[in-house]
Amino acid sequence: MIVRKAKPGDVPQLARIYLQALRDTYQELLPEEYFASLSQEKGEGVWTRALAQPGQEVWVAELDGQAVGVTGCKPDPDHQGWLNLSSLYVDGACQGRGVGRTLIRTVWERARAMGCDGVSVCVVRDNPRARGLYEGLGARFLRPYVYKFDRWPVDCRCYVWPLEEVCP
């Protein structure tokens, strides 16, 4: 597996991973109306904007030349000197193969290179797989948070990794 910075030509594959992950992960939490509003074009817009946003970085994991995971990170607006892992999506067929862990470690490495003290992440409360991944990597619960998927609020949990406590 290789991890590299995403580029505009990756956008269609990133959108595919993102849309699949949304449907697979949140099918029971969000109304069908939300999923009906999703499209490849809308997914591509999300990643096109992410790549163009100052201060935000997008990283892609590849296996055999195919994008299988994507993560985004940006300065944490609530913690000066911290980086926020703002998104993490892994192709369903590749989950459980270390793609998510590798992408998280990439964000940790990036945070260290930038002189940050830690990394934060928010995750949907009712996403036990992601919470297990983050908690298994030592993330500490910080606070509850409400995120809106368009107009639908979802309860989340924010976690932090002080970099002095995580292994490279």
Side-chain angles (χ1 to χ4, degrees):
M1 176 180 352
I2 65 163
V3 177
R4 60 171 175 76
K5 275 197 168 183
K7 52 189 184 281
D10 295 320
V11 165
Q13 287 186 35
L14 303 183
R16 176 191 55 79
I17 293 167
Y18 166 72
L19 294 169
Q20 175 196 6
L22 287 177
R23 288 183 179 101
D24 292 349
T25 305
Y26 303 120
Q27 196 68 46
E28 303 297 318
L29 295 175
L30 295 165
E32 183 53 41
E33 183 181 351
Y34 172 75
F35 296 103
S37 75
L38 299 178
S39 66
Q40 180 70 20
E41 181 180 15
K42 189 172 183 177
E44 288 181 15
V46 166
W47 293 103
T48 298
R49 285 187 299 280
L51 287 171
Q53 188 163 349
Q56 179 149 343
E57 296 181 5
V58 178
W59 297 86
V60 60
E62 286 184 344
L63 283 172
D64 301 322
Q66 280 288 345
V68 295
V70 58
T71 191
C73 59
K74 60 186 178 186
D76 186 322
D78 298 324
H79 299 94
Q80 186 172 351
W82 284 58
L83 205 57
N84 174 253
L85 191 156
S86 56
S87 57
L88 177 68
Y89 299 99
V90 176
D91 186 305
C94 295
Q95 289 183 356
R97 296 173 60 185
V99 176
R101 289 179 191 279
T102 299
L103 288 168
I104 291 167
R105 285 188 173 103
T106 298
V107 172
W108 292 350
E109 290 170 15
R110 187 66 188 120
R112 281 188 179 102
M114 295 171 69
C116 295
D117 296 321
V119 173
S120 65
V121 65
C122 289
V123 61
V124 172
R125 184 191 66 202
D126 295 327
N127 184 349
R129 186 176 191 122
R131 286 183 51 201
L133 173 63
Y134 299 143
E135 291 169 4
L137 288 170
R140 285 196 258 149
F141 175 73
L142 179 64
R143 64 180 169 82
Y145 175 76
V146 175
Y147 178 80
K148 285 192 174 184
F149 286 85
D150 287 335
R151 67 176 187 262
W152 294 279
V154 177
D155 291 328
C156 296
R157 295 175 60 92
C158 292
Y159 291 90
V160 294
W161 286 287
L163 289 177
E164 64 194 24
E165 297 177 12
V166 298
C167 297

